[in-house]
Amino acid sequence: MDMSVIITISMFTVLVGLLLTGFPVAFTLAGTGLLFGGIGYAIDVLDPSFLEILPNRLFGNVVRNELLFAVPLFVAMGVMLEKSNVAEELLESMGKLFGTMRGGLGISVTIVGALLAASTGIVGATVVTMGLLSLPTMMRRGYSTSLATGSIAAAGTLGQIIPPSIVLILLADVMSNAWQQAQLNAGLFSPIPMSAGELFAGALIPGLMLVGMYILYQIAMAILRPESCPAIPIDEAERTKGFYKRLFFALLPPLVLIIAVLGSILTGIATPTEAASVGAVGAILLGAARMGQTMQRVVIVTLVSVLAMLLISTNFDLRMTREVIPTSDTFAFWVAIILAVFFAAGLITALWKTHKSGVLSEVMRSTVRISTMIYAILIGASLFSLVFRGVGGDDIIEGMLHSLPGGQFTAILLVMILMFVLGFFLDFIEITFVVVPVVAPALLAMDGTYGPIWLGVLMAMNLQTSFLTPPFGFALFYLRGVVPEHIPTTAIYKGVIPFVIIQTLALLLIATVPELVTWLPSQLFK
């Protein structure tokens, strides 16, 4: 057997084995890369000059990668919304709205899970938050343990597929590089780029479709097994006079934030990084607004200042370096300056208020911890993938996938099964940075109509299904950590099985009808 093949197989086997021991992922990736880089150099399989590319690769693909700047911003946005009790208020309001109908609490959990997924994109945080807030209420109202835990776990994993999500941000970066590499290998030296916005657009319809399927299941359970999801008696629903007003103000801020962030990306007004900065600032203001009526007024003035600046910049030319400047433009310029001062003062006040309450410190610590982990893994994965390519691993993988009977269908099926199984043991970050860069260029290089957007969404939903599947699904472990001890683990497994079946049906639907993924990007990014 060729030494390159032996090195490639050994490299991947050792990596997976070390990851399963629980050793830190970033050090495992970098250490495996260095170990086999030394072995490859010793047996003359790896050119040592190949490793000289690493500094430029890290500087170009990691340090200066503007798309990755969105990661800490989206993390900060999600953690701030989690710490500022947005989820608690949403669950309480939606529970009262739908609670008087059978299955209403389950539907509320699904809807709130979708909203949190679109605003946080962090699966673990969403599952834990939903478990702590909604499970006691559902148990107290007589819900079936299996249905309650299954609904919460399934709703929590929506953060994998509903944009904007950390998974899709990282996957967009990896898939974009893989798509460029596949086109260069095919002799196309002016490759067509793929943006994160296109992947977001591709994931939107499948994500909403999945939410609809979850709700249909909740309705079916309410009809077929009404005892498993009873309604809240009308006198307990607390439909007081100001209920709809409170519901409106509970739903409006997160909805506006989601629309502002996702809408600006999909319409091309802003890049994901710019939209993420808007989301982070909006989350800070939203968190501060929950700290008293005075702060609510400050936040309203701050938001009005931003909207007024947008209107002024749209209707007036604010460039002051022109030779002839109309009086109206000069006046608009100084008004914009005053509004910018109001906005800065409002944001500083919100930061100070959240800092004094201790929320900002928690958000910053969590953001730094999560972002550092992601970047460390990315650096380790860059070294691993560089050595892997240096020993010819990418060519070996591509040749193996091309030689499979059944062509692209078999290759994609095999990769999906591999990712599904790895999803039991590895987090999405490791799979995104380790597996996808290895297999995606080979899959995209094959003949057919499959593109990077469709393949990326398929991979994201496949991982989501894996994280929900017993007995090793990550979402199940997150939920197990917060449910009462008297609820058996088997009840959680039993509850998620119908949702796993729904996920599988959605996955098959996307696989057989690619237009569900490709239609919206083709309309928005012509």
Side-chain angles (χ1 to χ4, degrees):
M1 186 182 291
D2 186 28
M3 286 304 300
S4 294
V5 177
I6 296 175
I7 290 289
T8 298
I9 296 173
S10 302
M11 195 173 179
F12 197 76
T13 304
V14 169
L15 174 66
V16 173
L18 289 175
L19 288 175
L20 293 179
T21 65
F23 196 73
V25 176
F27 301 130
T28 299
L29 287 167
T32 305
L34 286 173
L35 173 64
F36 281 91
I39 295 174
Y41 171 65
I43 61 177
D44 202 25
V45 174
L46 176 68
D47 185 350
S49 62
F50 208 81
L51 293 178
E52 295 176 6
I53 307 172
L54 183 63
N56 290 332
R57 185 183 179 90
L58 293 179
F59 190 72
N61 292 349
V62 180
V63 179
R64 296 185 62 183
N65 190 332
E66 289 189 10
L67 179 60
L68 293 179
F69 293 166
V71 171
L73 292 169
F74 274 130
V75 171
M77 171 182 164
V79 177
M80 176 59 81
L81 292 176
E82 177 196 349
K83 301 295 183 184
S84 57
N85 298 326
V86 173
E88 185 174 357
E89 191 171 342
L90 277 173
L91 271 171
E92 182 181 353
S93 301
M94 296 300 293
K96 290 177 181 177
L97 179 64
F98 291 105
T100 53
M101 60 181 286
R102 287 199 304 269
L105 282 178
I107 294 173
S108 301
V109 166
T110 301
I111 294 174
V112 174
L115 291 174
L116 290 179
S119 55
T120 65
I122 306 172
V123 172
T126 306
V127 173
V128 170
T129 302
M130 299 286 285
L132 289 172
L133 296 178
S134 59
L135 186 60
T137 302
M138 298 176 84
M139 293 290 92
R140 191 168 61 250
R141 299 300 184 184
Y143 260 66
S144 161
T145 303
S146 298
L147 180 60
T149 54
S151 301
I152 293 168
T157 60
L158 289 171
Q160 291 279 108
I161 194 67
I162 295 182
S165 108
I166 305 298
V167 180
L168 294 178
I169 286 284
L170 300 176
L171 197 56
D173 181 61
V174 174
M175 290 299 297
S176 176
N177 294 332
W179 178 232
Q180 286 188 340
Q181 183 183 337
Q183 292 178 90
L184 290 173
N185 292 342
L188 182 61
F189 296 104
S190 297
I192 302 170
M194 187 209 83
S195 67
E198 290 177 288
L199 189 61
F200 280 11
L204 186 59
I205 291 178
L208 295 178
M209 178 186 72
L210 198 57
V211 173
M213 294 172 75
Y214 283 177
I215 292 175
L216 286 176
Y217 170 70
Q218 299 279 359
I219 294 173
M221 287 297 292
I223 295 172
L224 300 175
R225 292 184 56 198
E227 72 282 357
S228 67
C229 47
I232 301 175
I234 295 177
D235 59 334
E236 294 184 31
E238 300 178 13
R239 295 287 187 86
T240 57
K241 185 177 180 181
F243 167 70
Y244 288 103
K245 180 180 178 181
R246 292 197 303 274
L247 175 64
F248 176 77
F249 284 108
L251 284 173
L252 183 64
L255 278 176
V256 169
L257 189 61
I258 292 166
I259 292 171
V261 172
L262 188 55
S264 60
I265 296 173
L266 297 183
T267 56
I269 296 174
T271 64
T273 304
E274 293 165 344
S277 64
V278 172
V281 171
I284 291 170
L285 294 174
L286 186 57
R290 283 169 159 70
M291 298 180 180
Q293 291 186 348
T294 303
M295 277 309 305
Q296 288 178 4
R297 297 188 188 99
V298 171
V299 169
I300 289 172
V301 171
T302 306
L303 294 175
V304 169
S305 300
V306 172
L307 293 175
M309 281 192 290
L310 290 174
L311 289 174
I312 290 173
S313 64
T314 303
N315 294 286
F316 296 93
D317 190 342
L318 302 182
R319 294 173 300 166
M320 293 291 107
T321 56
R322 293 171 293 163
E323 294 182 2
V324 179
I325 305 174
T327 305
S328 58
D329 286 354
T330 303
F331 178 75
F333 173 80
W334 287 109
V335 171
I337 292 293
I338 294 171
L339 290 171
V341 171
F342 274 111
F343 169 75
L347 181 58
I348 291 171
T349 305
L351 287 169
W352 176 252
K353 193 70 175 178
T354 51
H355 169 68
K356 291 291 289 182
S357 67
V359 171
L360 187 62
S361 300
E362 292 183 39
V363 171
M364 292 299 101
R365 278 195 293 268
S366 296
T367 301
V368 170
R369 185 172 61 251
I370 296 171
S371 302
T372 302
M373 176 193 68
I374 291 174
Y375 272 85
I377 292 173
L378 182 54
I379 291 171
S382 297
L383 176 57
F384 177 85
S385 62
L386 189 64
V387 173
F388 191 80
R389 288 196 176 97
V391 299
D394 54 342
D395 294 329
I396 293 169
I397 295 295
E398 183 173 349
M400 181 192 73
L401 292 177
H402 276 275
S403 63
L404 290 172
Q408 192 179 39
F409 172 80
T410 306
I412 291 178
L413 181 62
L414 181 64
V415 169
M416 290 298 141
I417 293 173
L418 173 64
M419 292 180 67
F420 182 84
V421 174
L422 289 177
F424 290 152
F425 311 104
L426 306 179
D427 196 65
F428 73 88
I429 301 174
E430 294 97 86
I431 295 175
T432 300
F433 289 150
V434 175
V435 180
V436 178
V438 173
V439 299
L443 294 177
L444 293 172
M446 293 181 176
D447 295 332
T449 58
Y450 306 105
I453 302 171
W454 174 82
L455 185 60
V457 172
L458 197 66
M459 288 179 171
M461 187 165 283
N462 185 37
L463 286 177
Q464 181 188 356
T465 308
S466 176
F467 289 173
L468 195 60
T469 303
F472 302 113
F474 272 82
L476 309 181
F477 291 126
Y478 289 131
L479 186 59
R480 176 69 269 180
V482 296
V483 300
E485 292 184 2
H486 65 82
I487 295 179
T489 303
T490 52
I492 302 176
Y493 290 172
K494 180 182 176 183
V496 298
I497 288 174
F499 292 96
V500 172
I501 295 172
I502 292 172
Q503 287 272 164
T504 306
L505 291 175
L507 194 61
L508 292 174
L509 199 57
I510 292 172
T512 53
V513 188
E515 291 77 13
L516 288 171
V517 174
T518 59
W519 177 81
L520 188 57
S522 68
Q523 298 300 311
L524 295 177
F525 299 92
K526 293 181 180 179

